[in-house]
């Protein structure tokens, strides 16, 4: 007759818990990441666009400051910010 030891019971419990977590992950497939409503998805996309545009502008400003000589103004153009936004973040229309 086989007796269950504490180690065997613990191992089976860990195995069942892991299998349960894997099953839950396969069934839900990242639903927590995807928004449920289209309006929520649009608002998230608008916030990401604004954040990416601001980051591109900051990047261009930093590059202009580094390339400007001592006492020279840092010149930043809208075209440079648009180009950086398109290249770094993949937006087609900015």
């Amino acid at each position: 007759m086989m007796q269950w030891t504490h180690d065997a019971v613990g191992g089976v419990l860990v195995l069942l818990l892991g299998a349960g977590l894997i099953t839950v992950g396969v069934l839900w497939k990242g639903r927590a990441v995807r928004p449920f409503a289209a309006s929520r998805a649009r608002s998230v996309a608008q916030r990401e666009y604004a954040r990416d545009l601001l980051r591109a502008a900051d990047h261009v400003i930093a590059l202009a400051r580094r390339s400007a000589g001592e006492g020279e103004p840092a010149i930043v153009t809208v075209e440079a910010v648009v180009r950086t936004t398109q290249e770094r973040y993949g937006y087609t229309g900015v």
Side-chain angles (χ1 to χ4, degrees), residues 8 11 14 17 26 29 31 34-36 50 57 60 65 68-71 77-79 83 87:
V14 167
L17 179 64
V26 166
K29 288 186 185 176
R31 286 187 191 150
R34 290 191 305 250
F36 290 107
V60 171
R65 285 183 179 166
E70 186 68 31
T77 63
V78 174
E79 291 81 18
R83 186 175 55 251
E87 290 172 357

Side-chain angles (χ1 to χ4, degrees), residues 2-75:
M2 185 175 138
Q3 283 189 324
W4 289 87
T5 64
H6 292 292
D7 291 337
V9 172
V12 169
L13 288 176
V14 167
L15 184 69
L16 290 175
L17 179 64
L21 288 174
I22 290 172
T23 303
V24 167
V26 166
L27 292 176
W28 282 347
K29 288 186 185 176
R31 286 187 191 150
V33 176
R34 290 191 305 250
F36 290 107
S39 62
R40 184 173 172 200
R42 278 190 300 276
S43 68
V44 168
Q46 288 172 348
R47 283 194 307 268
E48 286 180 355
Y49 175 76
R51 185 189 68 223
D52 292 342
L53 189 59
L54 183 61
R55 285 181 180 172
D58 288 342
H59 180 73
V60 171
I61 291 168
L63 285 175
R65 285 183 179 166
R66 275 184 259 152
S67 65
E70 186 68 31
E72 292 180 356
I75 299 172

